[in-house]
Amino acid sequence: MRVIIHIGTEKTGSTTIQKFLRTNRRVIGAAGVRHLSCLGRENARALVAYCMSNSRSDVYTRTNGIDDVAKRIRWKRTLCRRLNSELAWLKQSSNTVVISSEHFHSRLKSVEEVKALADLLSPYASKVSVVVYLRRQDKVAVSLFSTRCKETNSSLQILPEASSNVDSYYDYYALLERWSEVFGEEALVIRRFEGPRRGANALLLDFCDAAGLPSDVRYQYPEMFNRGLPGQAQYGLVWFNRIFSVQSGYHIWLKRQLSEYLVACFDGPQLLPARSDAESFLRRYNAGNRRVAERFLSNEQLFSTDFSGYPFSSEPRFNVDEVKQKVLEFCVSKQKNLCVPPLSRDGMLLLAYRVYYDSAPTIKRLIDSVFAR
């Protein structure tokens, strides 16, 4: 049985690929291609957690209550039994199994963790292909900023500072070296992610080619998921996160509504770093990218060196007061359900003053105009 492992990387259309596989499960199933249902409907996030060292944790392990080592071990045993049962059945009924999760890229940080996956699959897999999409690091960072705005990010800094965790995340050579050491270089299928402008169909057709999926069937193509936010929405969400530094479940739900509201109000490009900053950021990873090209791509250049899409200045190119007013209008419309912190006129003024003390007179006028309606 052939096993295809799609490992991302993150911000390269993985969610769209997973939606595609689920949407077309009957079509590809008829051709003998299946996915492991015990790992989740689309993203094999549980398998990633299974492979992670017991000493490490993340959002998934915390959410599922398996941070404790003893609980993690018991959970792994249960999942292992289910995996072995399903793999044994699929070996008899299918010729190909597809496993997809972008978290293979970000969470499996050692050869031992990748080997845990290989050990699980080895009794069933006659051949393993590892499909990986690589995107230029500065463009990944820009896309991640948009994602962080939807979470708890309260900073307008788009490109992260250098650190061991950041540099490990963007080190594609180390990533490919880990996976090739376990599965062999011949197992790697390396593709460049060209970005959402080409559309979902181009990405999905490329994935089908990379994974060797049937080409003589009629697929349904979903739209591109997780598109970037316009700059005004990013700015507004950052401001919301600054006001509500501690967020309850209700605030998280409210922020999703705010995100949809701002996207409906504004249209335009996302926030971008200055061109010089983007160039400087990528230089940190140029040596590793050259090693990828030399070892895995027969010296073919990995990424374009075109930075013309970046502005010379990172300053927002829109009216920030207009964005703040929209956020305040939204909050006022929901204030009856917001108890912590209070969103009375004075409370909003105080919070806004603490966040943007240099713009307090402007903020006061905005708040007055909102409450006067």
Side-chain angles (χ1 to χ4, degrees):
M1 179 175 70
R2 179 176 177 236
V3 177
I4 302 165
I5 309 171
H6 168 235
I7 67 171
T9 55
E10 291 186 350
K11 314 314 295 182
T12 61
S14 297
T15 301
T16 301
I17 289 173
Q18 290 154 12
K19 295 286 185 185
F20 169 79
L21 291 171
R22 177 162 177 78
T23 300
N24 294 281
R25 62 191 182 279
R26 293 178 181 173
V27 174
I28 62 176
V33 181
R34 305 292 182 94
H35 75 282
L36 288 166
S37 61
C38 70
L39 298 177
R41 297 175 62 184
E42 295 167 358
N43 188 333
R45 189 64 184 82
L47 184 55
V48 177
Y50 174 89
C51 297
M52 284 172 54
S53 167
N54 291 334
S55 62
R56 295 178 52 234
S57 62
D58 66 358
V59 173
Y60 183 90
T61 60
R62 290 190 290 273
T63 301
N64 288 273
I66 52 174
D67 267 357
D68 177 78
V69 173
K71 290 181 179 178
R72 179 91 62 92
I73 291 173
R74 288 195 297 271
W75 176 83
K76 284 187 175 184
R77 286 173 181 165
T78 301
L79 183 63
C80 186
R81 286 194 296 269
R82 296 173 60 198
L83 283 166
N84 280 312
S85 175
E86 187 170 1
L87 284 167
W89 178 78
L90 288 172
K91 187 177 181 180
Q92 302 300 319
S93 60
S94 307
N95 54 50
T96 304
V97 169
V98 182
I99 301 169
S100 174
S101 178
E102 64 275 26
H103 297 92
F104 282 124
H105 153 227
S106 59
R107 301 303 195 272
L108 303 194
K109 298 183 177 182
S110 68
V111 170
E112 290 72 26
E113 290 177 323
V114 178
K115 191 175 183 300
L117 176 59
D119 291 343
L120 180 68
L121 298 175
S122 60
Y124 310 100
S126 57
K127 180 181 179 181
V128 174
S129 297
V130 179
V131 178
V132 54
Y133 281 85
L134 302 180
R135 187 179 190 181
R136 207 173 74 181
Q137 286 91 338
D138 56 296
K139 295 182 178 181
V140 173
V142 168
S143 183
L144 279 172
F145 173 77
S146 194
T147 300
R148 294 200 312 272
C149 291
K150 299 175 187 176
E151 296 170 350
T152 58
N153 177 49
S154 59
S155 169
L156 288 171
Q157 179 175 330
I158 299 173
L159 300 174
E161 300 288 345
S163 70
S164 58
N165 285 336
V166 168
D167 290 343
S168 173
Y169 180 88
Y170 291 106
D171 188 346
Y172 294 152
Y173 182 80
L175 170 72
L176 298 178
E177 191 174 41
R178 281 196 299 275
W179 286 81
S180 64
E181 181 173 336
V182 175
F183 291 103
E185 286 188 29
E186 68 281 358
L188 298 184
V189 183
I190 303 169
R191 308 296 249 221
R192 297 171 183 81
F193 180 74
E194 301 297 339
R197 290 184 179 180
R198 289 186 62 195
N201 286 19
L203 169 66
L204 297 171
L205 287 170
D206 184 79
F207 175 77
C208 288
D209 179 67
L213 297 183
S215 58
D216 56 347
V217 296
R218 296 183 64 180
Y219 291 116
Q220 296 181 49
Y221 295 100
E223 293 295 319
M224 203 77 176
F225 283 81
N226 295 334
R227 289 186 178 275
L229 299 170
Q232 296 95 325
Q234 293 173 323
Y235 191 96
L237 291 171
V238 166
W239 196 46
F240 182 93
N241 289 335
R242 288 182 179 182
I243 293 175
F244 299 102
S245 57
V246 178
Q247 298 183 14
S248 67
Y250 176 76
H251 288 93
I252 294 171
W253 171 83
L254 184 72
K255 185 162 53 179
R256 284 198 292 267
Q257 287 198 324
L258 173 61
S259 177
E260 295 174 0
Y261 173 72
L262 292 174
V263 168
C265 290
F266 299 105
D267 185 25
Q270 60 191 328
L271 292 173
L272 292 171
R275 184 177 302 181
S276 59
D277 292 336
E279 292 172 333
S280 176
F281 182 81
L282 184 62
R283 278 197 292 271
R284 285 160 38 186
Y285 308 105
N286 278 342
N289 291 345
R290 284 194 295 269
R291 295 180 74 189
V292 169
E294 292 167 2
R295 178 173 171 182
F296 299 103
L297 298 175
S298 302
N299 280 315
E300 183 182 341
Q301 183 173 315
L302 181 57
F303 298 124
S304 161
T305 56
D306 179 18
F307 287 85
S308 62
Y310 289 102
F312 290 106
S313 169
S314 61
E315 290 299 313
R317 290 173 287 178
F318 50 79
N319 187 332
V320 297
D321 286 342
E322 182 183 2
V323 177
K324 294 173 186 177
Q325 180 165 353
K326 290 295 183 183
V327 174
L328 292 172
E329 288 175 346
F330 178 86
C331 289
V332 168
S333 71
K334 304 291 183 181
Q335 68 175 325
K336 291 182 179 179
N337 296 318
L338 282 173
C339 300
V340 182
L343 281 185
S344 63
R345 180 193 171 282
D346 291 340
M348 288 182 69
L349 181 58
L350 175 62
L351 287 165
Y353 182 81
R354 287 173 58 191
V355 176
Y356 286 101
Y357 59 89
D358 57 334
S359 303
T362 302
I363 294 296
K364 182 178 184 301
R365 287 197 298 273
L366 291 176
I367 293 175
D368 285 342
S369 69
V370 168
F371 276 85
R373 296 180 183 179

